[in-house]
Amino acid sequence: MLATNKPLEPPSEFIVKVQDINDNPPEFLHGPYYARVPEMSNVGTSVMQVTATDADDPTYGNSARLVYSILQGQPYFSVEPQTGIIRTALPNMDREARQEYDVVIQAKDMGGHMGGLSGTTEVKITLTDVNDNPPKFPQSVYSMSVSEDKVSGEEVGRLKAKDPDLGENGLVSYRFIEGDGMTVFEITTDTDTREGVIKLRKPVDFETKRAYTLRVEASNTHVDPRFIAWGPYKDTATVKVMVEDADEPPAFMETSYSFEVEENAPDGTAVGRVHAKDTDVANNPVRYMIPRYTDVEQFFSVGPEDGIIKTTRPLDRETLPWHNISVSATEIGGHHQDTKVRVNIKVKDVNDNAPEFATQNEILVCENASPGKLIETVSAVDKDEMAHRQYFHFSIAPEAVNNHNFSLKDNRDSTASIYVTRRGFSRMTQDVYFLPIEINDNGIPPMSSTNTLTIRVCSCDSKDTILSCNVEPYILPAGLSTGALIAILACIVILLAIVVLFVALRRQKKEPLIVFEEEDIRENIITYDDEGGGEEDTEAFDIATLQNPDGANGFLPRKDIKPELQYPMRPGGGPVANSVDVDDFIKTRINDADSDPTAPPYDSIQIYGYEGRGSIAGSLSSLESVTTDSDLDYDYLQSWGPRFKKLADLYGTKDSADDNS
């Protein structure tokens, strides 16, 4: 081997088998166990199966062969040795006698032979109830009494038949089966105490009948057919009711009253009626009233004779949903005894309040917010009660539907989501947006309101973290450029120039010389310290100044009064502007004045808006006056008629003398 480095013999394989011995006891892995079985079960009824495990090799010997036995719980239960099934061993096990049993089960290996290992477990077995017991009255005769002042529905007394069964197996119902008071009394079952409650069906009268006898039967509501042969499941007892005489105040038919009335119902709406009665032999009438200390605000009134409660004003559920008052009934006559009853009035809700935002906080949006970004989820509240499956509906108000900044999505769960619809907000352009949102409560009748959502633009970093929402740094920057300052100064200078020009134009504006028609000028005398040009004022007379422009169409309004009627144009009146016959002109004016029915019988002063050039102070004459001689030809004065003869002679003579010289 040293020379060739090869084994002298080929390798061999050895298999070593470890032989098991019984060194592990059986174990119940899920103990302790709990089981239930009905009472009165037949012998051999399966309760449950228990199983133990053994870690030894089940293929070698009997080390893992288990046998089950019962160590505790006999003679009530037994266990099958091979399967571990627990069964009842006694008949008629009664839950009412014993309800729980502690059973100990043993599992032993080696087939249960000597030297085997064992393990045990506990099983708690509970008997469940069945209806195997009829109800039973503790006594055969019951005595009760009732005062004659009791009213219908009031309790007379109670009796109870005992049934040891549980749940529905122990339910008992009561009824009258005979007696002379079956029409006067009634019996019901109190489900909580399982007692029979005897009540008055109608009032009793001591003077008419003083005692009643009734026979009551108590029976199980649910009877198990398996045990019907053990019946009957009922029992009877006799009840004697004695009527007592009483002198009591009026008694209300109920111990308390509960009514409902809709909010906003008009005043005088009937809420309900309370009823009290004098149970004495005299049976005096009863008067009702509401003590003011129970209804301080006097929301209700009660009819003094009929006991009908009415509202005195519309009620608001949101202010006070319940009204708890008392009504007093007083016996009229006798001892004037009175009694009170509690009246609870519930104000039923009417949908009369519009929904509104749950909070009024501002919503913040980043300047760099991208379209479609959710910025807020808003909710609403309503003072009214919400009906089942009622939710708020949100929508953008019609006046803002076409806005391009924000959109709204109704989530149909009384909330709405606000989204950004455009990119690029700027606080310098607009820092606050107002979005009107209409909220509808889908009630009956539906109510809606428009609430304004305030959205403020803020500066954010790249991670949408808000840095600042203050707009002052953008409105009042720390410094302005030179170009901006020049533009502002230029605007100020232009505004000042416009103001100065406007003031200068106002100062140069003259007051009008004409007299307005509204001014009353009759009988007015105006004194001027000036002297006209006299007869030598040859250039002062101008016939055009005597012509009124209104006279061109034949109508001359009076300026000393305000005419009440408007007269049509006179036919045949020619233009006066070209006429040189002053005599005819004056006659025409006199004729117009005399024929005017609206003119008063007094003279007036005609004002002409013309002033001569003759003197420094100005001339009073309506004719143009000059102080220098004129080369005008005055021969036309001869054609003006005899009234101007003197004037014509003066000027004509002067002209003739000048010619002769």
Side-chain angles (χ1 to χ4, degrees):
M1 179 176 179
L2 296 175
T4 62
N5 198 24
K6 292 182 180 180
L8 295 176
E9 295 179 359
S12 299
E13 181 179 349
F14 298 92
I15 297 175
V16 179
K17 185 176 181 180
V18 179
Q19 183 176 355
D20 184 39
I21 63 173
N22 188 20
D23 58 347
N24 291 284
E27 293 182 355
F28 292 91
L29 300 179
H30 303 289
Y33 298 89
Y34 298 89
R36 299 165 67 89
V37 64
E39 65 173 332
M40 300 297 174
S41 296
N42 296 327
V43 175
T45 301
S46 175
V47 179
M48 72 174 302
Q49 182 179 16
V50 295
T51 302
T53 61
D54 195 321
D56 293 328
D57 187 1
T59 63
Y60 181 79
N62 294 325
S63 298
R65 183 184 175 189
L66 303 181
V67 174
Y68 299 93
S69 61
I70 183 168
L71 301 181
Q72 177 181 325
Q74 295 174 330
Y76 307 102
F77 300 94
S78 64
V79 62
E80 293 183 357
Q82 305 301 325
T83 62
I85 297 176
I86 303 173
R87 299 181 183 275
T88 58
L90 284 181
N92 302 329
M93 286 193 294
D94 191 3
R95 183 200 64 83
E96 288 74 26
R98 182 177 178 182
Q99 184 174 0
E100 293 184 350
Y101 296 84
D102 293 327
V103 178
V104 178
I105 302 296
Q106 175 185 269
K108 189 175 183 180
D109 59 11
M110 298 298 292
H113 296 293
M114 293 290 293
L117 302 178
S118 64
T120 61
T121 187
E122 290 185 2
V123 181
K124 289 185 176 294
I125 301 176
T126 303
L127 298 183
T128 58
D129 185 61
V130 297
N131 189 11
D132 59 338
N133 295 282
K136 183 71 175 178
F137 284 108
Q139 57 194 72
S140 59
V141 178
Y142 292 85
S143 298
M144 300 180 184
S145 63
V146 58
S147 177
E148 65 173 344
D149 60 355
K150 300 296 182 180
V151 295
S152 300
E154 290 203 26
E155 182 178 321
V156 177
R158 294 178 176 237
L159 68 165
K160 183 177 181 179
K162 295 183 178 181
D163 190 330
D165 294 325
L166 300 177
E168 66 177 14
N169 297 321
L171 294 180
V172 179
S173 62
Y174 301 87
R175 68 186 183 98
F176 293 136
I177 55 177
E178 62 180 352
D180 56 0
M182 295 182 63
T183 60
V184 180
F185 302 93
E186 62 182 1
I187 187 169
T188 60
T189 302
D190 189 333
T191 57
D192 295 330
T193 63
R194 297 183 180 180
E195 294 176 318
V197 182
I198 299 177
K199 296 181 180 180
L200 277 175
R201 178 175 292 179
K202 61 182 180 180
V204 294
D205 186 7
F206 175 80
E207 287 73 23
T208 303
K209 189 174 179 63
R210 302 185 180 184
Y212 295 90
T213 301
L214 298 166
R215 191 156 186 83
V216 180
E217 179 186 83
S219 60
N220 281 135
T221 305
H222 303 280
V223 178
D224 194 332
R226 296 175 299 175
F227 309 104
I228 195 169
W230 296 13
Y233 286 87
K234 58 185 177 181
D235 192 18
T236 59
T238 302
V239 178
K240 294 184 178 181
V241 182
M242 306 300 295
V243 179
E244 297 178 348
D245 189 17
D247 182 12
E248 299 292 334
F252 285 95
M253 299 302 178
E254 298 183 23
T255 56
S256 64
Y257 292 86
S258 296
F259 301 118
E260 292 183 350
V261 61
E262 286 190 352
E263 67 172 326
N264 302 327
D267 57 327
T269 300
V271 176
R273 181 180 181 181
V274 297
H275 181 65
K277 185 178 180 181
D278 179 18
T279 56
D280 294 333
V281 177
N283 193 18
N284 294 320
V286 175
R287 182 174 296 275
Y288 303 93
M289 65 171 293
I290 299 177
R292 287 301 99 188
Y293 67 87
T294 66
D295 184 20
V296 178
E297 300 294 333
Q298 300 185 12
F299 290 108
F300 304 95
S301 64
V302 62
E305 297 179 357
D306 55 16
I308 297 177
I309 301 174
K310 297 181 179 180
T311 61
T312 60
R313 71 189 74 171
L315 305 177
D316 185 13
R317 187 201 68 87
E318 288 71 35
T319 302
L320 192 59
W322 281 91
H323 295 266
N324 301 314
I325 64 174
S326 295
V327 176
S328 172
T330 305
E331 176 185 351
I332 301 176
H335 298 88
H336 298 283
Q337 301 183 82
D338 67 342
T339 186
K340 297 178 179 63
V341 68
R342 196 70 177 173
V343 179
N344 303 315
I345 301 174
K346 179 183 179 180
V347 183
K348 299 172 62 178
D349 184 45
V350 174
N351 193 31
D352 59 347
N353 290 278
E356 58 186 11
F357 281 141
T359 60
Q360 299 294 333
N361 298 331
E362 289 185 345
I363 296 178
L364 307 180
V365 61
C366 294
E367 288 181 311
N368 55 355
S370 58
K373 179 178 177 57
L374 173 65
I375 60 174
E376 185 68 24
T377 299
V378 296
S379 60
V381 294
D382 196 329
K383 295 179 181 178
D384 297 317
E385 293 179 347
M386 295 292 290
H388 181 60
R389 294 184 179 179
Q390 180 183 354
Y391 62 90
F392 297 118
H393 175 71
F394 296 81
S395 62
I396 296 179
E399 63 269 17
V401 168
N402 297 324
N403 84 93
H404 303 291
N405 301 317
F406 306 98
S407 64
L408 180 145
K409 178 185 177 183
D410 190 348
N411 299 324
R412 303 183 66 84
D413 60 354
S414 296
T415 64
S417 301
I418 309 298
Y419 294 91
V420 175
T421 58
R422 73 175 179 88
R423 185 187 304 275
F425 292 93
S426 175
R427 286 189 295 164
M428 294 183 64
T429 303
Q430 185 174 352
D431 64 318
V432 177
Y433 292 85
F434 298 100
L435 183 64
I437 296 178
E438 186 175 286
I439 310 176
N440 192 304
D441 61 6
N442 296 310
I444 301 176
M447 298 292 292
S448 62
S449 65
T450 300
N451 297 256
T452 301
L453 190 65
T454 303
I455 304 175
R456 183 174 295 279
V457 180
C458 300
S459 174
C460 304
D461 58 12
S462 59
K463 297 182 180 179
D464 291 339
T465 301
I466 296 177
L467 301 178
S468 174
C469 294
N470 188 3
V471 77
E472 286 188 6
Y474 290 84
I475 298 178
L476 299 175
L480 294 175
S481 63
T482 305
L485 290 174
I486 294 175
I488 294 174
L489 292 176
C491 292
I492 295 174
V493 171
I494 292 173
L495 290 175
L496 291 176
I498 293 174
V499 172
V500 171
L501 180 60
F502 178 76
V503 173
L505 291 176
R506 288 293 297 256
R507 290 183 177 179
Q508 292 180 0
K509 186 176 179 181
K510 294 183 178 180
E511 294 293 330
L513 298 176
I514 62 173
V515 179
F516 297 100
E517 293 181 359
E518 290 79 9
E519 296 181 5
D520 188 4
I521 59 171
R522 61 176 179 268
E523 303 284 336
N524 293 333
I525 301 176
I526 302 175
T527 303
Y528 293 91
D529 294 331
D530 187 38
E531 187 177 32
E535 296 178 351
E536 295 181 358
D537 189 0
T538 58
E539 296 182 0
F541 182 79
D542 187 359
I543 189 62
T545 60
L546 297 177
Q547 298 175 356
N548 190 335
D550 295 334
N553 55 15
F555 174 71
L556 298 175
R558 295 293 300 272
K559 295 186 177 182
D560 54 334
I561 64 171
K562 185 175 182 180
E564 298 177 355
L565 301 173
Q566 185 70 32
Y567 292 92
M569 294 175 57
R570 292 182 177 85
V576 188
N578 298 327
S579 176
V580 295
D581 192 350
V582 178
D583 186 42
D584 293 339
F585 175 83
I586 294 176
K587 288 181 179 179
T588 301
R589 296 298 184 268
I590 295 175
N591 186 38
D592 292 340
D594 294 338
S595 61
D596 188 359
T598 63
Y602 49 74
D603 295 328
S604 62
I605 299 175
Q606 182 68 37
I607 303 299
Y608 294 92
Y610 180 81
E611 184 173 348
R613 301 191 303 269
S615 64
I616 298 176
S619 174
L620 292 176
S621 176
S622 61
L623 302 176
E624 182 179 354
S625 300
V626 295
T627 56
T628 58
D629 294 338
S630 175
D631 295 333
L632 296 177
D633 185 10
Y634 296 97
D635 291 338
Y636 62 89
L637 295 177
Q638 299 294 338
S639 62
W640 282 17
R643 291 176 180 265
F644 297 89
K645 184 176 183 301
K646 180 62 176 177
L647 185 59
D649 292 341
L650 292 174
Y651 281 87
T653 304
K654 180 178 179 182
D655 293 342
S656 301
D658 293 337
D659 293 339
N660 293 335
S661 61

